[in-house]
Amino acid sequence: MARYILAFLVIFSSAAATLAQPTPPTKKEELQAIVIKFFDALAELDAEKAKSLCTSDVSILESGKVWNFDSLAVRITTRKAKSTDFKRINKLDFIDTKASFDVGWVSYTNQATITSSGKTVNVKWLESIVLTKVKNDWLISLLHSTELERRP
């Protein structure tokens, strides 16, 4: 009888351990997580963290201008130096996320409430990001942003 109880406990604990295993994220979730981490880095004014999520030749199309990461880093460090009360809260609403082999595409609306130097502004953008798989990591290779609305 003790053998049956022991066998039952072994089988039950094995089944419970199998069920407790987290399911790996889908490709869609992986891509969206990179986008979220990137905007979290911008909210934290952390240029190094943002850079770690981009390819070395990333292109950023922002407000009719073509930037590279150095352009964005200058903007981040300038903002960091100018404002002691900077706060940015992002709300990303994903429209579509696709991947094929080593390329992913994510489109979304980005709404941010940004406080800096005592002033708060709400901005809404329509954006898309292209990600490229480099080794085992998804990295942002292109970000295109169209501002839709800006209000105090």
Side-chain angles (χ1 to χ4, degrees), residues 113-130:
T113 301
I114 302 167
T115 301
S116 181
S117 303
K119 296 179 182 176
T120 299
V121 64
N122 295 293
V123 187
K124 184 176 182 179
W125 298 271
L126 177 63
E127 298 180 329
S128 59
I129 283 183
V130 176

Side-chain angles (χ1 to χ4, degrees), residues 38-123:
F38 180 77
F39 284 100
D40 286 349
L42 294 183
E44 297 163 11
L45 296 177
D46 188 336
E48 287 305 310
K49 184 176 178 182
K51 185 176 185 174
S52 74
L53 299 166
C54 297
T55 60
S56 59
D57 62 346
V58 65
S59 292
I60 302 167
L61 309 176
E62 176 79 30
S63 302
K65 295 185 171 83
V66 179
W67 294 358
N68 59 21
F69 191 83
D70 291 340
S71 309
L72 180 60
V74 166
R75 188 166 175 125
I76 291 170
T77 54
T78 301
R79 175 71 54 109
K80 199 174 196 174
K82 282 186 176 180
S83 179
T84 56
D85 68 339
F86 179 83
K87 184 176 180 182
R88 176 177 173 149
I89 300 170
N90 298 301
K91 181 178 182 287
L92 303 175
D93 291 314
F94 293 100
I95 298 167
D96 196 16
T97 304
K98 294 180 182 170
S100 180
F101 300 103
D102 291 342
V103 178
W105 303 267
V106 182
S107 57
Y108 53 94
T109 57
N110 179 1
Q111 297 180 65
T113 301
I114 302 167
T115 301
S116 181
S117 303
K119 296 179 182 176
T120 299
V121 64
N122 295 293
V123 187

Side-chain angles (χ1 to χ4, degrees), residues 1-11:
M1 181 71 165
R3 281 191 303 186
Y4 293 117
I5 292 172
L6 182 58
F8 174 76
L9 289 175
V10 168
I11 291 169

